[in-house]
């Protein structure tokens, strides 16, 4: 049986994924899954869409790093050229979120 990586030393084993932006490892539930639909990168918040997934922190800096490093062709293992990927659906995740903090509203 294969041994899973763990981020923390306590608690049950949970799946760990690598953010394509900052390349740090985190528990899968802390990341948003992204899938390629044609040449568009779509957020898969429920984790149910078919196909290869890439994971990204819910942080604009990680998204900007991924864009700068042009990771999409490698992450999805297909070539679409440097400017061939439409990442506007992912960018809208960060446009809708409040700036700064954890994204939670204060009462």
């Amino acid at each position: 049986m294969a041994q899973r990586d763990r981020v923390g030393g306590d608690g049950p084993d949970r799946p760990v994924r690598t953010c394509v932006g900052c390349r740090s490892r985190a528990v899968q539930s802390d990341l948003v899954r992204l899938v390629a639909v044609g040449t568009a990168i779509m957020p898969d918040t429920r984790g149910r869409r078919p196909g290869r997934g890439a994971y990204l922190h819910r942080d604009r800096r990680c998204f900007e790093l991924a864009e700068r490093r042009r990771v999409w062709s490698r992450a999805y293992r297909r070539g679409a050229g440097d400017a061939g990927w439409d990442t506007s659906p992912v960018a809208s995740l960060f446009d809708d979120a409040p700036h700064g903090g954890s994204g939670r509203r204060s009462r």
Side-chain angles (χ1 to χ4, degrees), residues 11-29:
D13 290 343
R14 296 191 301 176
V16 175
R17 302 291 183 256
T18 302
C19 173
V20 294
C22 66
R23 303 291 300 155
S24 66
R25 296 163 52 97
V27 177
Q28 182 177 349
S29 60

Side-chain angles (χ1 to χ4, degrees), residues 8-10 12 15 32-33 36 43 55 57 61 63 65 79 81 88 90-91 96 106:
D10 56 350
V32 63
R33 182 174 188 257
Y55 292 84
H57 281 111
R61 292 174 294 187
F63 175 65
L65 277 171
S88 58
V90 179
D96 294 341
S106 59

Side-chain angles (χ1 to χ4, degrees), residues 33-37 44 47-53 78:
R33 182 174 188 257
L34 306 172
V35 294
V37 178
D44 182 17
R48 302 285 185 231
R49 287 186 171 222
R52 184 172 180 81
R78 50 180 152 149

Side-chain angles (χ1 to χ4, degrees), residues 34-35 37 39-43 56 60 63 67 72 83-96:
L34 306 172
V35 294
V37 178
T39 58
I41 309 296
M42 304 291 291
L56 186 70
R60 179 173 292 283
F63 175 65
E67 286 283 286
W72 309 119
W85 293 103
D86 175 21
T87 58
S88 58
V90 179
S92 69
L93 277 176
F94 304 110
D95 293 340
D96 294 341

Side-chain angles (χ1 to χ4, degrees), residues 30 97-107:
D30 293 343
H99 297 286
S102 64
R104 295 183 181 154
R105 295 182 188 197
S106 59
R107 293 183 179 191

